[in-house]
């Protein structure tokens, strides 16, 4: 159903808690109560990975990142309210909620946004088939509209990886090792392969990876590694949620 028609026919309700939205808010998808439960990630943080500063020593979360992976930022902590929102996006069949999540991400500050391309972290084929869409791609498109930056489907998963949630940090690393590849043809841009390759290598271009959640950063680091292998000089990442306590000991 086209959105305008849907709005006329159905009383607008919050996608998360089903509360009816006031007339003034009827174009929104998430009510104020739900949105205010999202807790922004704020400094002080590690300047690179955006994780709250370790009490002593250097940050271990980003120590093993590939050189090209510069900065990662997340909009909100993944506690109760935000977890529901991500769940609705991934498992609730509600890709439209990406608009609300991207609104929370739009205020994130990263170097090079003005010249960046947004690259969604891809899903494996099997998962894409069951879900019907890639939630990170929906987020990237919604964020691209806010930032007025292009979205380029530059990465593919070379194999279906096990769901990261059930794995220990070491297993997460092994699980995603070599899981991504840069795809030059068929990335959604109407430019030649040669031009695309040189655009990736252009030191002035910034690639911003977009994903729903930052947990141990194993997936983002591996995606950044694939881009680095293709010659990318600067890769950043943004996510909607950040896991509260990444256990990377
Ligand atoms: Zn609500
Ligand atoms: Zn760090």
């Amino acid at each position: 159903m086209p959105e305008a028609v849907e709005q006329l026919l159905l009383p607008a309700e919050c996608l998360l808690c089903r509360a009816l939205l006031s007339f003034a808010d009827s174009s929104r998808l998430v009510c104020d109560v739900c949105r205010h439960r999202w807790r922004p990630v704020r400094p002080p943080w590690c300047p690179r990975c955006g994780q709250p500063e370790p009490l002593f020593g250097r940050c271990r979360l980003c120590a093993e990142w590939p050189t090209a992976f510069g900065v990662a930022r997340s909009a909100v902590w993944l506690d109760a309210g935000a977890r529901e929102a991500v769940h609705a996006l991934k498992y609730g069949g509600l890709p439209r909620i990406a608009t609300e999540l991207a609104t929370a991400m739009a205020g994130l500050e990263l170097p090079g946004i003005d010249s960046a391309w947004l690259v969604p972290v891809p899903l494996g084929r099997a998962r894409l088939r069951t879900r019907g869409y890639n939630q990170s791609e929906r987020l990237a498109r919604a964020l691209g509209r806010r930032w007025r930056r292009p979205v380029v489907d530059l990465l593919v998963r070379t194999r279906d990886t096990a769901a990261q949630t059930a794995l220990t940090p070491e297993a997460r690393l092994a699980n995603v090792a070599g899981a991504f590849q840069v795809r030059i043809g068929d990335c959604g841009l109407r430019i030649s392969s040669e031009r695309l390759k040189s655009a990736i290598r252009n030191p002035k271009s910034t690639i911003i990876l977009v994903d729903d959640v930052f947990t141990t950063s194993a997936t983002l680091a591996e995606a950044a590694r694939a881009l680095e292998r293709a010659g990318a000089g600067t890769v950043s990442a943004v996510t909607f949620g950040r896991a509260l306590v990444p256990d990377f000991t």
Side-chain angles (χ1 to χ4, degrees):
M1 208 169 354
E3 234 166 84
V5 179
E6 187 181 310
Q7 260 178 39
L8 284 175
L9 297 179
L10 304 171
E13 56 179 32
C14 170
L15 285 181
L16 292 177
C17 71
R18 300 284 163 205
L20 288 182
L21 295 168
S22 68
F23 185 72
D25 275 348
S26 61
S27 62
R28 303 214 55 144
L29 302 170
V30 174
C31 74
D32 274 344
V33 177
C34 286
R35 219 165 333 114
H36 285 142
R37 288 173 67 205
W38 298 346
R39 210 157 46 85
V41 181
R42 293 213 169 90
W45 50 33
C46 165
R48 192 178 189 197
C49 66
Q51 194 69 12
E53 300 245 33
L55 290 177
F56 51 87
R58 66 196 263 255
C59 176
R60 290 164 67 197
L61 192 54
C62 57
E64 307 294 323
W65 282 6
T67 318
F69 194 2
V71 170
R73 294 289 181 264
S74 310
V76 304
W77 290 109
L78 196 69
D79 42 24
R83 193 181 296 276
E84 283 162 22
V86 171
H87 202 270
L89 173 71
K90 283 169 90 163
Y91 309 110
L94 293 171
R96 286 194 300 139
I97 204 175
T99 319
E100 295 282 344
L101 276 53
T103 303
M105 296 161 76
L108 292 172
E109 284 169 21
L110 294 150
I113 288 185
D114 294 346
S115 58
W117 323 344
L118 307 189
V119 174
V121 171
L123 282 184
R125 262 188 219 203
R127 207 156 298 142
L128 186 59
R129 213 175 305 124
T130 33
R131 193 166 296 162
Y133 59 88
N134 173 6
Q135 74 277 0
S136 303
E137 196 245 325
R138 296 303 176 99
L139 278 180
R141 303 239 168 248
L143 189 59
R145 284 194 292 275
R146 297 291 306 249
W147 282 351
R148 295 168 192 274
R149 299 309 310 158
V151 175
V152 190
D153 265 326
L154 203 51
L155 290 172
V156 277
R157 275 205 199 231
T158 52
R159 55 193 166 79
D160 279 299
T161 49
Q164 293 279 78
T165 37
L167 302 173
T168 63
E170 296 76 29
R172 280 172 184 247
L173 283 175
N175 187 38
V176 292
F180 299 103
Q181 228 168 38
V182 168
R183 140 170 90 178
I184 293 297
D186 193 26
C187 69
L189 277 191
R190 285 191 200 148
I191 64 173
S192 71
S193 309
E194 284 319 304
R195 276 192 59 204
L196 180 59
K197 279 186 208 161
S198 66
I200 294 171
R201 288 194 214 104
N202 184 340
K204 284 188 189 138
S205 56
T206 298
I207 293 177
I208 300 184
L209 290 164
V210 181
D211 207 357
D212 50 353
V213 171
F214 178 115
T215 306
T216 62
S217 79
T219 305
L220 288 168
E222 196 54 37
R225 197 165 284 124
L227 292 164
E228 186 181 70
R229 277 198 301 268
T234 313
V235 181
S236 311
V238 289
T239 69
F240 168 72
R242 179 158 306 218
L244 285 176
V245 187
D247 177 12
F248 48 92
T249 50

